[in-house]
Amino acid sequence: MMPTALPFWCSFALALCAAPLLPGIINRVKAKFAGRQGKPVLQLYYDLAKLLRKGAVISTSTTWVFAAGPVLSLATVFVALPLLPLGGFASPFAFQGDFLLAAYVLGLGRFFLILAALDTGSAFEGMGASREAAYAALAEPALFLCFLTLAGLGADEHIALHLSLSTMFTGTPSLAWLEARPEVLLLPLVLFLLLLVENCRIPIDDPNTHLELTMIHEVMVLDHSGPDLAFIHYAAALKLWFFSALLAGIVVPAIFSNPWVQLAVNSAAIAAVAVLVGVTESIMARVRLPRIAQLLGGAGALAALALMLTLIR
Amino acid sequence: MELFLVALALLVLTASFLAAASLVPQVPSIRLCVHIAGPAGIILACALGMAGLFHGSWGAVVPWQAPWGLPLGGGALALDGLSRCFLLPVFGLGAVCAFSGAASLFHHDIGHNIAAHWFFYTLLVLALALVLTARDSVFFLISWELMSLSPFFLIEFDDHEASVREASWVYLVAAHLGAVVLLGFFALAWHMGGSSSALFAGLSLSPAMGSALFVLALVGFGAKAGLAPMHIWLPEAHPAAPSHVSALLSGAMINAGLYGIFRTYTLLDIQGGTPAWWGWCLLLLGLGSALTGIIKASGQSNLKRLLAYSSVENMGIMLMGLGTGLIGMQTGHMGIATLGFAACLIHMINHAAFKGLLFLCAGEILHAVQTVRLDLLGGLQQRMPLLGAAFAVGAAAIICLPPLNGFAGEFVLALGLATGVTLPQMEIQLGLLAALTGLALVSGLAAATFAKAYGIAFLGEPRTRLAANPHLPTAYNLVPLAFPAAACLGLGLAAPQLFALVAQALPLPQEVLAPHTAPLRASLHTVVLVGLAGMGIVALLVLWRRHLLRGAYSQKNSTWGCGFQKGTARIQYTDASFTDPQTEVFSRLMGVQVQSSMDKGYFPAHASYSIEAPDRLRLRLYAPLFDAVRRLCDACKIIQSGRIHLYILYMLATLVALLLWGFAA
């Protein structure tokens, strides 16, 4: 088992190490667009190292739930990430329906982060928590439709694990768009939008603004400091890697015989996603909050269209 | 079977003791005796019953015939896999809720006839056990009536409050409208089968007659299960009833409705196969109930109403499982059938654990703070950490988060629906996949709803003085919560074993099941392993965090207030503000009503704002309907003048009419 799983575990190690690079790349791209020099690409590493050394200010209103938020949000991404086929290699944990487990495990982390925000008793953080809960609920159907479309592409009872992420995001479904299945190209669009929602990027949320009335994720973690904040930042970077890996799993076909070339191409695709996020943030404005529901509805409709086109064979 | 019968006999004995005790004057010695002997008898009987369920093979059918007859029918009982699955919550919750109720009533029984309360409670548990095992139409209906009637007296515990009297009245009407339809169902089945027990031996019917029976069963049993649009009694009855009664009603009694639908399906043998629309009808009704339930739940500010609507949602999910199973059977895809039926039963058992826990927690909040209105609570986690932890476990379990127990049912159901992609017919594929998408929305909304329920009630700063200084629950109040909380965690980690147990009860031959159960058990094993690994990672991170913070300078301070350090608890987000983004999307479905008024002028002195989500189905459909019936009945009163000579005239007229009719014929 070990020799075949080696490239997968290397990809996992790469994800753990390189995930904080993604926000750095996004920031650098945004700085270039604005004609600035920008922060170092490794800025998040420095921030994490600094935060881990620091102490924390903990609100007197809070309980253990406040501390559980960051810990669970990091732990759940740790658990969800190896369920994905990383670097284009099937996960050793793959089983029928692992996409459900991955989605619900991420939901667990989100649930406790929302509770941690409510634990402070701050109106700002309540605002962020409420928005996060609502938009996550609306994003869920679109995400499931994407998974089902990919499952529908490779649908065959005789393929073991046809309802597993490892089959959906490697092998035949990834190749299908090269072979006259253009509807698959709708999925990267939907998944990209979901990436923006789940990772709180423009045009859904603005990770930079300090105007609480418009923020979602950033406002939820206002009271976290020190190691807690480091956990949250690192978990957010890993979650960005998770969704970028989903995108890379669709657009990069598994046609390379050398596993290391496959890994390199996949990683390059993930970096390209980060660049794309940076470009999107530079050329778009935040949409008004009531529009987000419409945006998510649109994403769901697109995914449903892709599913129907896939089923009409 | 012997242990089960002994348990029933013990319940009868307890009930007769309590009935006798309720009739004598309530002197302190009698009250003390009832306080101890009543719940103890129930708990002992439930423990015996539970032992009886696990005695022998789970799937085996063990019949028993009472040596005495009943008018029109016979006292036939039988235990089989399906009955055992549904009895599990009855005995489990029956004991836990009796324990919790004993702890809370011991100090709060002023002015109540406690013996009568425990008598009806015992009767409810007994009647539930009989309903789930009866194998004769008349016997079933008698048990059903007992089961429907006893909650009326349990709900009416605080009958000095007008709202409680009205709620129990709504319950009684709903229960009996359902029972009327069931009478029709059993009469028709008797007519077709030729004897009162023929239905329970399986009926072979034409599709038209079978469908008629199916629809009658769906309406009659669906009213008990609280399926939308017949759910309106749930959000009325649950907030009015004492919490240990709500827990039992929600976790065990409404399951009886689901049992009825499930059992009816297994008994009707339709010539030429089950009609395709049965499965779709159940799936659609289930999805409709789930969506209605959760959208209404998210708009509630009364915690017990919220939990009641969440029961509607969960019954919907169970019915979706049943519908999926039927569709799988009908399309000949046994894998989907296995997953659908199993999901229905797994979720039913799990729901009893977490919904029981949440209702009992709500009861403790009510004792501690005197209210369950979310906008009057807050900060309870700091003041009652154990109660808060128990509610957190229940909330995480009910929104199906791994590694807790709720995940298994939803996972199996979603997997069954997702297996639809492999079917050759596109319309079936689309139907199943659309249902899965709906389920995803339901689970997302459930997460938001219970984040609100726990977050607003337990976290942050207390919003009122009562919430700031709650009556702390005693150890006796908290110990009963440990059982369902342990079940939430234990059933989550024992998901493969639970599935194996449930698989023996499915209406499919074991040789058909075998190829489909093995892969699913493997999947569930992986889920459990991943859950355990996750717990390990959490433990490591907690230790690491503690280590990091030990070396560093940390301090406690007030929540960051944007430079404003004199914030009050009133600026916190409330339940209505928390659900505002959802309200914008689902306002039409949620039926939120906002009333606000403010004095005119530059310095308004008075302002009021209230937001609530009453059940529009009740106000717009049922209330006018019942009004119309009342007007009709009032109009008929015209013949009842109260004068004796008029009545004699009616008799004479009737006699003449009959004579004329006789001559004509």
Side-chain angles (χ1 to χ4, degrees), chain B residues 521-551:
Chain B
R521 283 194 71 175
S523 287
L524 286 172
H525 265 298
T526 319
V527 169
V528 171
L529 283 182
V530 169
L532 287 174
M535 286 194 232
I537 293 175
V538 169
L540 284 179
L541 283 177
V542 167
L543 289 179
W544 190 38
R545 177 179 180 273
R546 187 167 294 174
H547 171 75
L548 286 171
L549 284 178
R550 191 177 295 143

PDB file of all heavy atoms in Angstrom, chain B residues 521-551:
ATOM      1  N   ARG B 521     -21.529  -1.169   5.294  1.00  0.00           N
ATOM      2  CA  ARG B 521     -20.906  -1.308   6.612  1.00  0.00           C
ATOM      3  C   ARG B 521     -19.453  -0.868   6.561  1.00  0.00           C
ATOM      4  O   ARG B 521     -18.963  -0.217   7.476  1.00  0.00           O
ATOM      5  CB  ARG B 521     -20.999  -2.765   7.099  1.00  0.00           C
ATOM      6  CG  ARG B 521     -22.358  -3.131   7.620  1.00  0.00           C
ATOM      7  CD  ARG B 521     -22.313  -4.422   8.390  1.00  0.00           C
ATOM      8  NE  ARG B 521     -21.620  -4.237   9.675  1.00  0.00           N
ATOM      9  CZ  ARG B 521     -21.528  -5.195  10.578  1.00  0.00           C
ATOM     10  NH1 ARG B 521     -22.055  -6.374  10.355  1.00  0.00           N
ATOM     11  NH2 ARG B 521     -20.901  -4.984  11.702  1.00  0.00           N
ATOM     12  N   ALA B 522     -18.781  -1.225   5.438  1.00  0.00           N
ATOM     13  CA  ALA B 522     -17.384  -0.809   5.299  1.00  0.00           C
ATOM     14  C   ALA B 522     -17.292   0.713   5.286  1.00  0.00           C
ATOM     15  O   ALA B 522     -16.429   1.307   5.947  1.00  0.00           O
ATOM     16  CB  ALA B 522     -16.792  -1.408   4.034  1.00  0.00           C
ATOM     17  N   SER B 523     -18.206   1.357   4.540  1.00  0.00           N
ATOM     18  CA  SER B 523     -18.200   2.823   4.475  1.00  0.00           C
ATOM     19  C   SER B 523     -18.395   3.413   5.859  1.00  0.00           C
ATOM     20  O   SER B 523     -17.680   4.337   6.268  1.00  0.00           O
ATOM     21  CB  SER B 523     -19.329   3.326   3.563  1.00  0.00           C
ATOM     22  OG  SER B 523     -19.022   3.085   2.219  1.00  0.00           O
ATOM     23  N   LEU B 524     -19.388   2.851   6.593  1.00  0.00           N
ATOM     24  CA  LEU B 524     -19.669   3.396   7.924  1.00  0.00           C
ATOM     25  C   LEU B 524     -18.482   3.183   8.858  1.00  0.00           C
ATOM     26  O   LEU B 524     -18.191   4.027   9.709  1.00  0.00           O
ATOM     27  CB  LEU B 524     -20.937   2.752   8.499  1.00  0.00           C
ATOM     28  CG  LEU B 524     -22.236   3.242   7.861  1.00  0.00           C
ATOM     29  CD1 LEU B 524     -23.420   2.418   8.343  1.00  0.00           C
ATOM     30  CD2 LEU B 524     -22.482   4.702   8.172  1.00  0.00           C
ATOM     31  N   HIS B 525     -17.772   2.045   8.686  1.00  0.00           N
ATOM     32  CA  HIS B 525     -16.573   1.820   9.489  1.00  0.00           C
ATOM     33  C   HIS B 525     -15.560   2.920   9.235  1.00  0.00           C
ATOM     34  O   HIS B 525     -14.955   3.454  10.173  1.00  0.00           O
ATOM     35  CB  HIS B 525     -15.955   0.460   9.149  1.00  0.00           C
ATOM     36  CG  HIS B 525     -16.388  -0.626  10.082  1.00  0.00           C
ATOM     37  ND1 HIS B 525     -16.103  -0.582  11.420  1.00  0.00           N
ATOM     38  CD2 HIS B 525     -17.095  -1.758   9.880  1.00  0.00           C
ATOM     39  CE1 HIS B 525     -16.614  -1.652  12.000  1.00  0.00           C
ATOM     40  NE2 HIS B 525     -17.232  -2.378  11.099  1.00  0.00           N
ATOM     41  N   THR B 526     -15.363   3.255   7.935  1.00  0.00           N
ATOM     42  CA  THR B 526     -14.404   4.313   7.621  1.00  0.00           C
ATOM     43  C   THR B 526     -14.845   5.629   8.251  1.00  0.00           C
ATOM     44  O   THR B 526     -14.021   6.376   8.786  1.00  0.00           O
ATOM     45  CB  THR B 526     -14.281   4.485   6.091  1.00  0.00           C
ATOM     46  OG1 THR B 526     -14.263   3.196   5.506  1.00  0.00           O
ATOM     47  CG2 THR B 526     -13.037   5.239   5.733  1.00  0.00           C
ATOM     48  N   VAL B 527     -16.161   5.910   8.181  1.00  0.00           N
ATOM     49  CA  VAL B 527     -16.669   7.143   8.777  1.00  0.00           C
ATOM     50  C   VAL B 527     -16.307   7.188  10.263  1.00  0.00           C
ATOM     51  O   VAL B 527     -15.831   8.207  10.778  1.00  0.00           O
ATOM     52  CB  VAL B 527     -18.195   7.251   8.592  1.00  0.00           C
ATOM     53  CG1 VAL B 527     -18.753   8.383   9.433  1.00  0.00           C
ATOM     54  CG2 VAL B 527     -18.542   7.468   7.139  1.00  0.00           C
ATOM     55  N   VAL B 528     -16.519   6.057  10.953  1.00  0.00           N
ATOM     56  CA  VAL B 528     -16.229   6.022  12.387  1.00  0.00           C
ATOM     57  C   VAL B 528     -14.742   6.214  12.635  1.00  0.00           C
ATOM     58  O   VAL B 528     -14.328   6.963  13.531  1.00  0.00           O
ATOM     59  CB  VAL B 528     -16.721   4.693  12.990  1.00  0.00           C
ATOM     60  CG1 VAL B 528     -16.234   4.547  14.418  1.00  0.00           C
ATOM     61  CG2 VAL B 528     -18.235   4.639  12.944  1.00  0.00           C
ATOM     62  N   LEU B 529     -13.902   5.549  11.790  1.00  0.00           N
ATOM     63  CA  LEU B 529     -12.451   5.688  11.970  1.00  0.00           C
ATOM     64  C   LEU B 529     -12.028   7.136  11.760  1.00  0.00           C
ATOM     65  O   LEU B 529     -11.228   7.678  12.534  1.00  0.00           O
ATOM     66  CB  LEU B 529     -11.720   4.775  10.973  1.00  0.00           C
ATOM     67  CG  LEU B 529     -11.698   3.302  11.356  1.00  0.00           C
ATOM     68  CD1 LEU B 529     -10.924   2.504  10.333  1.00  0.00           C
ATOM     69  CD2 LEU B 529     -11.063   3.142  12.737  1.00  0.00           C
ATOM     70  N   VAL B 530     -12.562   7.763  10.704  1.00  0.00           N
ATOM     71  CA  VAL B 530     -12.219   9.159  10.448  1.00  0.00           C
ATOM     72  C   VAL B 530     -12.667  10.018  11.632  1.00  0.00           C
ATOM     73  O   VAL B 530     -11.951  10.922  12.068  1.00  0.00           O
ATOM     74  CB  VAL B 530     -12.877   9.636   9.134  1.00  0.00           C
ATOM     75  CG1 VAL B 530     -12.761  11.143   8.991  1.00  0.00           C
ATOM     76  CG2 VAL B 530     -12.234   8.951   7.944  1.00  0.00           C
ATOM     77  N   GLY B 531     -13.842   9.695  12.186  1.00  0.00           N
ATOM     78  CA  GLY B 531     -14.332  10.439  13.346  1.00  0.00           C
ATOM     79  C   GLY B 531     -13.391  10.293  14.534  1.00  0.00           C
ATOM     80  O   GLY B 531     -13.062  11.278  15.201  1.00  0.00           O
ATOM     81  N   LEU B 532     -12.927   9.067  14.777  1.00  0.00           N
ATOM     82  CA  LEU B 532     -12.011   8.850  15.899  1.00  0.00           C
ATOM     83  C   LEU B 532     -10.695   9.590  15.659  1.00  0.00           C
ATOM     84  O   LEU B 532     -10.145  10.218  16.572  1.00  0.00           O
ATOM     85  CB  LEU B 532     -11.745   7.349  16.073  1.00  0.00           C
ATOM     86  CG  LEU B 532     -12.913   6.546  16.660  1.00  0.00           C
ATOM     87  CD1 LEU B 532     -12.597   5.065  16.643  1.00  0.00           C
ATOM     88  CD2 LEU B 532     -13.183   7.009  18.089  1.00  0.00           C
ATOM     89  N   ALA B 533     -10.217   9.528  14.389  1.00  0.00           N
ATOM     90  CA  ALA B 533      -8.982  10.241  14.070  1.00  0.00           C
ATOM     91  C   ALA B 533      -9.172  11.736  14.322  1.00  0.00           C
ATOM     92  O   ALA B 533      -8.291  12.405  14.871  1.00  0.00           O
ATOM     93  CB  ALA B 533      -8.592   9.992  12.619  1.00  0.00           C
ATOM     94  N   GLY B 534     -10.343  12.239  13.929  1.00  0.00           N
ATOM     95  CA  GLY B 534     -10.635  13.661  14.136  1.00  0.00           C
ATOM     96  C   GLY B 534     -10.596  14.011  15.612  1.00  0.00           C
ATOM     97  O   GLY B 534     -10.023  15.030  16.005  1.00  0.00           O
ATOM     98  N   MET B 535     -11.176  13.138  16.451  1.00  0.00           N
ATOM     99  CA  MET B 535     -11.158  13.418  17.889  1.00  0.00           C
ATOM    100  C   MET B 535      -9.728  13.438  18.410  1.00  0.00           C
ATOM    101  O   MET B 535      -9.372  14.268  19.259  1.00  0.00           O
ATOM    102  CB  MET B 535     -11.959  12.355  18.633  1.00  0.00           C
ATOM    103  CG  MET B 535     -13.454  12.519  18.462  1.00  0.00           C
ATOM    104  SD  MET B 535     -14.280  11.488  19.674  1.00  0.00           S
ATOM    105  CE  MET B 535     -15.381  10.598  18.659  1.00  0.00           C
ATOM    106  N   GLY B 536      -8.899  12.520  17.869  1.00  0.00           N
ATOM    107  CA  GLY B 536      -7.488  12.507  18.271  1.00  0.00           C
ATOM    108  C   GLY B 536      -6.804  13.810  17.907  1.00  0.00           C
ATOM    109  O   GLY B 536      -6.077  14.405  18.712  1.00  0.00           O
ATOM    110  N   ILE B 537      -7.064  14.293  16.666  1.00  0.00           N
ATOM    111  CA  ILE B 537      -6.443  15.546  16.224  1.00  0.00           C
ATOM    112  C   ILE B 537      -6.899  16.702  17.112  1.00  0.00           C
ATOM    113  O   ILE B 537      -6.104  17.554  17.508  1.00  0.00           O
ATOM    114  CB  ILE B 537      -6.802  15.811  14.744  1.00  0.00           C
ATOM    115  CG1 ILE B 537      -6.141  14.753  13.863  1.00  0.00           C
ATOM    116  CG2 ILE B 537      -6.361  17.190  14.325  1.00  0.00           C
ATOM    117  CD1 ILE B 537      -6.517  14.853  12.414  1.00  0.00           C
ATOM    118  N   VAL B 538      -8.203  16.710  17.435  1.00  0.00           N
ATOM    119  CA  VAL B 538      -8.717  17.771  18.296  1.00  0.00           C
ATOM    120  C   VAL B 538      -8.003  17.751  19.642  1.00  0.00           C
ATOM    121  O   VAL B 538      -7.559  18.795  20.150  1.00  0.00           O
ATOM    122  CB  VAL B 538     -10.239  17.622  18.491  1.00  0.00           C
ATOM    123  CG1 VAL B 538     -10.726  18.542  19.593  1.00  0.00           C
ATOM    124  CG2 VAL B 538     -10.973  17.925  17.201  1.00  0.00           C
ATOM    125  N   ALA B 539      -7.830  16.543  20.198  1.00  0.00           N
ATOM    126  CA  ALA B 539      -7.170  16.443  21.498  1.00  0.00           C
ATOM    127  C   ALA B 539      -5.744  16.980  21.417  1.00  0.00           C
ATOM    128  O   ALA B 539      -5.296  17.746  22.281  1.00  0.00           O
ATOM    129  CB  ALA B 539      -7.171  14.989  21.967  1.00  0.00           C
ATOM    130  N   LEU B 540      -5.036  16.614  20.328  1.00  0.00           N
ATOM    131  CA  LEU B 540      -3.656  17.093  20.169  1.00  0.00           C
ATOM    132  C   LEU B 540      -3.612  18.610  20.057  1.00  0.00           C
ATOM    133  O   LEU B 540      -2.773  19.277  20.674  1.00  0.00           O
ATOM    134  CB  LEU B 540      -3.025  16.467  18.919  1.00  0.00           C
ATOM    135  CG  LEU B 540      -2.604  15.011  19.049  1.00  0.00           C
ATOM    136  CD1 LEU B 540      -2.030  14.516  17.735  1.00  0.00           C
ATOM    137  CD2 LEU B 540      -1.568  14.882  20.152  1.00  0.00           C
ATOM    138  N   LEU B 541      -4.544  19.166  19.253  1.00  0.00           N
ATOM    139  CA  LEU B 541      -4.541  20.624  19.066  1.00  0.00           C
ATOM    140  C   LEU B 541      -4.849  21.336  20.378  1.00  0.00           C
ATOM    141  O   LEU B 541      -4.271  22.390  20.669  1.00  0.00           O
ATOM    142  CB  LEU B 541      -5.560  21.017  17.998  1.00  0.00           C
ATOM    143  CG  LEU B 541      -5.152  20.777  16.551  1.00  0.00           C
ATOM    144  CD1 LEU B 541      -6.292  21.133  15.611  1.00  0.00           C
ATOM    145  CD2 LEU B 541      -3.918  21.592  16.204  1.00  0.00           C
ATOM    146  N   VAL B 542      -5.767  20.761  21.165  1.00  0.00           N
ATOM    147  CA  VAL B 542      -6.110  21.390  22.446  1.00  0.00           C
ATOM    148  C   VAL B 542      -4.877  21.420  23.343  1.00  0.00           C
ATOM    149  O   VAL B 542      -4.561  22.445  23.963  1.00  0.00           O
ATOM    150  CB  VAL B 542      -7.268  20.630  23.122  1.00  0.00           C
ATOM    151  CG1 VAL B 542      -7.416  21.057  24.568  1.00  0.00           C
ATOM    152  CG2 VAL B 542      -8.558  20.874  22.363  1.00  0.00           C
ATOM    153  N   LEU B 543      -4.144  20.280  23.372  1.00  0.00           N
ATOM    154  CA  LEU B 543      -2.941  20.233  24.209  1.00  0.00           C
ATOM    155  C   LEU B 543      -1.910  21.242  23.725  1.00  0.00           C
ATOM    156  O   LEU B 543      -1.280  21.947  24.514  1.00  0.00           O
ATOM    157  CB  LEU B 543      -2.352  18.815  24.186  1.00  0.00           C
ATOM    158  CG  LEU B 543      -3.166  17.777  24.939  1.00  0.00           C
ATOM    159  CD1 LEU B 543      -2.513  16.409  24.822  1.00  0.00           C
ATOM    160  CD2 LEU B 543      -3.276  18.168  26.411  1.00  0.00           C
ATOM    161  N   TRP B 544      -1.757  21.326  22.391  1.00  0.00           N
ATOM    162  CA  TRP B 544      -0.767  22.242  21.817  1.00  0.00           C
ATOM    163  C   TRP B 544      -1.138  23.686  22.155  1.00  0.00           C
ATOM    164  O   TRP B 544      -0.295  24.493  22.541  1.00  0.00           O
ATOM    165  CB  TRP B 544      -0.683  22.030  20.304  1.00  0.00           C
ATOM    166  CG  TRP B 544       0.466  22.759  19.665  1.00  0.00           C
ATOM    167  CD1 TRP B 544       1.716  22.916  20.187  1.00  0.00           C
ATOM    168  CD2 TRP B 544       0.471  23.423  18.408  1.00  0.00           C
ATOM    169  NE1 TRP B 544       2.491  23.640  19.336  1.00  0.00           N
ATOM    170  CE2 TRP B 544       1.760  23.958  18.228  1.00  0.00           C
ATOM    171  CE3 TRP B 544      -0.486  23.603  17.408  1.00  0.00           C
ATOM    172  CZ2 TRP B 544       2.105  24.680  17.091  1.00  0.00           C
ATOM    173  CZ3 TRP B 544      -0.143  24.305  16.278  1.00  0.00           C
ATOM    174  CH2 TRP B 544       1.141  24.845  16.109  1.00  0.00           C
ATOM    175  N   ARG B 545      -2.428  24.000  22.035  1.00  0.00           N
ATOM    176  CA  ARG B 545      -2.881  25.358  22.331  1.00  0.00           C
ATOM    177  C   ARG B 545      -2.594  25.699  23.790  1.00  0.00           C
ATOM    178  O   ARG B 545      -2.118  26.792  24.106  1.00  0.00           O
ATOM    179  CB  ARG B 545      -4.381  25.457  22.046  1.00  0.00           C
ATOM    180  CG  ARG B 545      -4.977  26.807  22.379  1.00  0.00           C
ATOM    181  CD  ARG B 545      -6.466  26.832  22.057  1.00  0.00           C
ATOM    182  NE  ARG B 545      -7.054  28.120  22.384  1.00  0.00           N
ATOM    183  CZ  ARG B 545      -7.522  28.440  23.585  1.00  0.00           C
ATOM    184  NH1 ARG B 545      -7.461  27.563  24.569  1.00  0.00           N
ATOM    185  NH2 ARG B 545      -8.041  29.629  23.803  1.00  0.00           N
ATOM    186  N   ARG B 546      -2.866  24.734  24.661  1.00  0.00           N
ATOM    187  CA  ARG B 546      -2.636  24.973  26.086  1.00  0.00           C
ATOM    188  C   ARG B 546      -1.153  25.229  26.336  1.00  0.00           C
ATOM    189  O   ARG B 546      -0.777  26.135  27.061  1.00  0.00           O
ATOM    190  CB  ARG B 546      -3.119  23.752  26.875  1.00  0.00           C
ATOM    191  CG  ARG B 546      -3.088  23.964  28.364  1.00  0.00           C
ATOM    192  CD  ARG B 546      -3.851  22.883  29.069  1.00  0.00           C
ATOM    193  NE  ARG B 546      -5.287  22.926  28.771  1.00  0.00           N
ATOM    194  CZ  ARG B 546      -6.160  22.015  29.168  1.00  0.00           C
ATOM    195  NH1 ARG B 546      -5.735  20.983  29.869  1.00  0.00           N
ATOM    196  NH2 ARG B 546      -7.438  22.128  28.889  1.00  0.00           N
ATOM    197  N   HIS B 547      -0.314  24.417  25.643  1.00  0.00           N
ATOM    198  CA  HIS B 547       1.133  24.569  25.794  1.00  0.00           C
ATOM    199  C   HIS B 547       1.576  25.957  25.312  1.00  0.00           C
ATOM    200  O   HIS B 547       2.379  26.628  25.961  1.00  0.00           O
ATOM    201  CB  HIS B 547       1.833  23.474  24.988  1.00  0.00           C
ATOM    202  CG  HIS B 547       3.311  23.647  24.901  1.00  0.00           C
ATOM    203  ND1 HIS B 547       4.141  23.372  25.964  1.00  0.00           N
ATOM    204  CD2 HIS B 547       4.106  24.103  23.898  1.00  0.00           C
ATOM    205  CE1 HIS B 547       5.389  23.653  25.604  1.00  0.00           C
ATOM    206  NE2 HIS B 547       5.385  24.092  24.360  1.00  0.00           N
ATOM    207  N   LEU B 548       1.040  26.401  24.152  1.00  0.00           N
ATOM    208  CA  LEU B 548       1.423  27.699  23.589  1.00  0.00           C
ATOM    209  C   LEU B 548       1.033  28.828  24.526  1.00  0.00           C
ATOM    210  O   LEU B 548       1.768  29.788  24.710  1.00  0.00           O
ATOM    211  CB  LEU B 548       0.737  27.896  22.232  1.00  0.00           C
ATOM    212  CG  LEU B 548       1.281  27.104  21.058  1.00  0.00           C
ATOM    213  CD1 LEU B 548       0.357  27.247  19.872  1.00  0.00           C
ATOM    214  CD2 LEU B 548       2.678  27.592  20.706  1.00  0.00           C
ATOM    215  N   LEU B 549      -0.178  28.699  25.111  1.00  0.00           N
ATOM    216  CA  LEU B 549      -0.682  29.801  25.934  1.00  0.00           C
ATOM    217  C   LEU B 549      -0.026  29.822  27.304  1.00  0.00           C
ATOM    218  O   LEU B 549       0.008  30.856  27.963  1.00  0.00           O
ATOM    219  CB  LEU B 549      -2.201  29.696  26.092  1.00  0.00           C
ATOM    220  CG  LEU B 549      -2.994  30.133  24.866  1.00  0.00           C
ATOM    221  CD1 LEU B 549      -4.473  29.952  25.103  1.00  0.00           C
ATOM    222  CD2 LEU B 549      -2.694  31.580  24.509  1.00  0.00           C
ATOM    223  N   ARG B 550       0.512  28.652  27.721  1.00  0.00           N
ATOM    224  CA  ARG B 550       1.105  28.615  29.060  1.00  0.00           C
ATOM    225  C   ARG B 550       2.332  29.508  29.119  1.00  0.00           C
ATOM    226  O   ARG B 550       2.556  30.225  30.094  1.00  0.00           O
ATOM    227  CB  ARG B 550       1.463  27.173  29.428  1.00  0.00           C
ATOM    228  CG  ARG B 550       1.843  27.018  30.891  1.00  0.00           C
ATOM    229  CD  ARG B 550       2.114  25.569  31.245  1.00  0.00           C
ATOM    230  NE  ARG B 550       0.926  24.743  31.131  1.00  0.00           N
ATOM    231  CZ  ARG B 550       0.934  23.495  30.684  1.00  0.00           C
ATOM    232  NH1 ARG B 550       2.068  22.945  30.288  1.00  0.00           N
ATOM    233  NH2 ARG B 550      -0.174  22.806  30.615  1.00  0.00           N
ATOM    234  N   GLY B 551       3.132  29.455  28.041  1.00  0.00           N
ATOM    235  CA  GLY B 551       4.374  30.218  28.060  1.00  0.00           C
ATOM    236  C   GLY B 551       4.169  31.704  27.808  1.00  0.00           C
ATOM    237  O   GLY B 551       5.041  32.511  28.068  1.00  0.00           O
TER     238      GLY B 551
END
